[in-house]
Amino acid sequence: MSNFNLTDWALRHRAVVLFMLILVAVAGAFSFTKLGQLEDPNFSVPSMTAMVIWPGATAQQLQDQVLNRMEKKFEQIDNFEKVVTYARQGYAGMTLTVRGGTSKADQREAWYQARKKLNDLSLELPEGVVGPIINDEYGDVYGLMYAIKGDGIGQADLADAAEDIKRRMLKVPMVKKIDVIGKQAERVYVEFSHERLAALGITPQAIAESLKSQNAMLPAGQIDTRGDRVMVRVSGQFSSEDAIRNVPIAADGRQIKLGDIASVTRGFEEPPAYTVRHNGQPVLMLGITMTSDGNIVDLGEAMAQAVAKIQSELPYGVELELVADQPTTVKDAIHDFVHALAEALIIVIVVSLVSLGWRAGLVVATTVPLVLGGVALVMLAMGWNLERISLGSLIIALGLLVDDAIIAIEMMVAKMETGWDRVRAAAFSYSATAMPRLTGALITVVGFLPIGLSQSTTGEYAGGIFWIVGAAVLFSWICSGIFTPYLAVKMLPNDLGKHQHGSDQYDTKFYRS
């Protein structure tokens, strides 16, 4: 630090420093308003699942004839760490995990290759196997959830309303996808009396075979002409409940319509796979996932406007109710941070005014927003958002931001009290304290180094604490060498000398006490 004095350079180029100060203040305030706002940092889940269904198969058959084949496919794919499988009666599944430290691009490539391999394998699996059913999106988070309810509204009408609402919500900016939760699958039920079937000599298997053969979709061939090719199709697939009722059933050489011996009705899956209730009332739920580059607060505002318009056009009795509201949570977190910032500034100003005087106190207090502005610029440039980790990092850094400024201004005031002029005192403050302050800043940053460099999901989630705290304390050190002395020279009076030059300013009753 003895070869180059940053403060001396700054005081000899005051016009440049003033321009930089205004630029950091304005650009920092602009950057803070443009930062993305989330509840948690974006991070990738390093696992995907694949599931197969084989009705009637034993767990051993699934393991030998399906899972073992699937496992061999993954030996050809890079970046996979392990495969965990399980098999039960009629179904089986596996969880695939990539190695720690795999980049998002390599992880997406691994999922893509896995899908290709499994899709190719599906043609080789035994007849009757359903799948593999792949899920690599279960790490998505619902930022907003709306309950769709209606007194006296049937499940079918409620499901139709949910699909219409989903279609309209998908047009809202920053919406990645919307899941309808709690929607029951439709079924057609054929109910009959076993006693009556026995009297007619008809078995339930005969009814099932008749339904299956009538609704089968089979190739019927084609007719090639000189100018065209005509595809031949066999009609007869079911299009309504009446078509099912008219299916002929053989009974002792006679043909009987199914509707004459059984009841055919349309309904929903019984018992339902799952249901959703809100305040004790069965509802359908809409789970809204935001795009990775979105702002959850902006999404909440846009969605509130869209829901107000949709609600006014819904059928009578159908209502939308907000159930999970992540934007409000994020707003509250940012409000808490701003509140903590205000408290820190007040404490700094009061302590500085009491210990250093009102002019020096204002210099120190001005440094904090300047440093935060610089950090906001870095965050915007690096694509970091305001979320749980970054806000926590800034709150941690708040207690460190004023240290450099206080040390620099206190040393400058101490020298001015002995008769030094402002410029000379500021330059001495840098040469005497810059290296210790930089060392202290680096030691603070190194304390978070293991998290920042961790090649794991933990590092991806919480690694920002190292980079943001590091940017804050380093920019604070730079500020104390450029902006703090510039403001001090402008604001401090040149007549602080209470002692003759060369005397010991610490030889007072206050310091001795």
Side-chain angles (χ1 to χ4, degrees):
M1 296 301 172
S2 59
N3 297 329
F4 176 73
N5 192 307
L6 183 61
T7 297
D8 182 64
W9 177 90
L11 296 178
R12 285 188 288 106
H13 301 81
R14 300 186 189 184
V16 176
V17 173
L18 177 60
F19 172 76
M20 293 169 58
L21 190 151
I22 296 174
L23 179 64
V24 170
V26 175
F30 174 80
S31 299
F32 190 81
T33 61
K34 294 299 180 181
L35 290 174
Q37 300 177 23
L38 303 171
E39 184 172 11
D40 290 290
N42 287 321
F43 67 97
S44 55
V45 178
S47 300
M48 67 175 292
T49 61
M51 181 178 174
V52 291
I53 302 172
W54 193 5
T58 64
Q60 190 63 48
Q61 288 175 320
L62 280 160
Q63 181 68 52
D64 295 339
Q65 301 184 45
V66 180
L67 292 179
N68 288 346
R69 294 184 184 182
M70 293 171 66
E71 289 179 7
K72 290 179 181 179
K73 287 291 183 179
F74 296 112
E75 296 175 357
Q76 311 167 23
I77 303 177
D78 296 332
N79 296 316
F80 276 109
E81 180 182 33
K82 63 179 179 179
V83 178
V84 179
T85 63
Y86 65 90
R88 303 289 186 271
Q89 180 76 25
Y91 69 95
M94 60 171 48
T95 301
L96 303 95
T97 305
V98 296
R99 288 192 296 269
T102 303
S103 66
K104 290 185 178 180
D106 289 340
Q107 182 174 309
R108 286 194 295 267
E109 177 64 20
W111 297 159
Y112 172 69
Q113 294 296 333
R115 284 181 177 274
K116 286 203 313 180
K117 299 291 184 183
L118 291 177
N119 286 335
D120 294 342
L121 179 65
S122 62
L123 302 176
E124 307 172 12
L125 296 178
E127 183 180 358
V129 175
V130 179
I133 304 167
I134 302 168
N135 183 7
D136 58 0
E137 298 181 344
Y138 61 87
D140 289 344
V141 176
Y142 295 141
L144 291 158
M145 295 189 73
Y146 286 90
I148 305 175
K149 57 184 181 179
D151 293 330
I153 306 295
Q155 273 287 334
D157 293 334
L158 203 61
D160 291 342
E163 290 298 329
D164 180 62
I165 294 169
K166 173 183 174 180
R167 175 181 55 81
R168 298 176 65 177
M169 283 184 171
L170 283 171
K171 298 178 181 179
V172 177
M174 295 179 287
V175 173
K176 176 182 178 182
K177 69 174 183 177
I178 300 177
D179 294 329
V180 181
I181 308 168
K183 186 177 179 180
Q184 299 181 27
E186 289 191 78
R187 296 286 185 268
V188 175
Y189 291 97
V190 178
E191 300 174 296
F192 47 78
S193 168
H194 287 278
E195 291 81 1
R196 188 175 182 185
L197 291 186
L200 295 172
I202 302 174
T203 63
Q205 289 77 14
I207 295 177
E209 287 297 328
S210 296
L211 291 171
K212 182 178 180 180
S213 60
Q214 179 69 27
N215 201 42
M217 185 176 294
L218 300 173
Q222 62 191 31
I223 300 174
D224 293 328
T225 65
R226 180 171 297 180
D228 202 354
R229 171 176 291 175
V230 180
M231 304 302 297
V232 179
R233 302 186 186 278
V234 178
S235 61
Q237 285 81 22
F238 300 142
S239 58
S240 65
E241 294 93 322
D242 289 336
I244 299 175
R245 295 187 185 101
N246 292 328
V247 171
I249 305 295
D252 292 334
R254 297 178 299 159
Q255 296 290 330
I256 301 176
K257 290 183 179 182
L258 178 60
D260 295 337
I261 59 174
S263 170
V264 179
T265 57
R266 181 188 295 268
F268 292 93
E269 183 181 41
E270 282 291 343
Y274 59 89
T275 59
V276 179
R277 290 181 176 271
H278 178 58
N279 293 332
Q281 180 180 359
V283 298
L284 295 180
M285 200 73 73
L286 293 179
I288 301 171
T289 304
M290 185 182 68
T291 56
S292 59
D293 59 345
N295 184 314
I296 191 65
V297 175
D298 292 343
L299 175 61
E301 295 173 354
M303 191 60 67
Q305 296 176 4
V307 167
K309 182 178 180 181
I310 293 172
Q311 182 68 65
S312 64
E313 301 173 0
L314 287 178
Y316 178 77
V318 178
E319 296 182 11
L320 271 172
E321 183 177 347
L322 182 61
V323 176
D325 187 9
Q326 195 180 68
T328 298
T329 303
V330 174
K331 279 183 181 178
D332 292 342
I334 295 175
H335 176 268
D336 290 343
F337 167 73
V338 174
H339 183 72
L341 173 61
E343 288 182 347
L345 284 174
I346 292 173
I347 293 171
V348 167
I349 291 173
V350 171
V351 173
S352 300
L353 290 177
V354 172
S355 60
L356 300 175
W358 71 272
R359 291 176 183 269
L362 288 179
V363 173
V364 174
T366 306
T367 304
V368 176
L370 284 175
V371 174
L372 290 177
V375 176
L377 273 171
V378 174
M379 292 177 65
L380 184 64
M382 298 301 295
W384 297 333
N385 301 306
L386 289 175
E387 23 75 2
R388 195 189 305 271
I389 297 299
S390 62
L391 289 176
S393 303
L394 290 174
I395 291 173
I396 291 173
L398 278 179
L400 307 172
L401 298 185
V402 297
D403 290 351
D404 289 321
I406 288 178
I407 293 171
I409 196 71
E410 197 277 335
M411 177 60 73
M412 183 177 173
V413 169
K415 286 300 178 183
M416 289 176 65
E417 288 179 346
T418 63
W420 290 32
D421 64 80
R422 290 173 294 185
V423 175
R424 184 186 174 195
F428 176 81
S429 174
Y430 178 84
S431 61
T433 65
M435 181 57 72
R437 288 190 284 108
L438 179 59
T439 303
L442 294 178
I443 290 174
T444 302
V445 175
V446 168
F448 299 103
L449 184 63
I451 302 176
L453 300 185
S454 175
Q455 298 295 318
S456 64
T457 304
T458 302
E460 188 178 358
Y461 178 83
I465 193 171
F466 166 73
W467 301 105
I468 294 174
V469 171
V473 296
L474 289 176
F475 197 78
S476 172
W477 179 82
I478 295 172
C479 251
S480 66
I482 298 178
F483 298 142
T484 301
Y486 171 82
L487 293 171
V489 168
K490 289 291 185 181
M491 298 178 65
L492 292 180
N494 210 9
D495 57 350
L496 285 179
K498 297 180 180 179
H499 306 276
Q500 295 297 322
H501 181 65
S503 64
D504 186 0
Q505 69 269 30
Y506 300 109
D507 187 16
T508 64
K509 183 178 180 181
F510 174 76
Y511 279 109
R512 286 195 301 269
S513 300

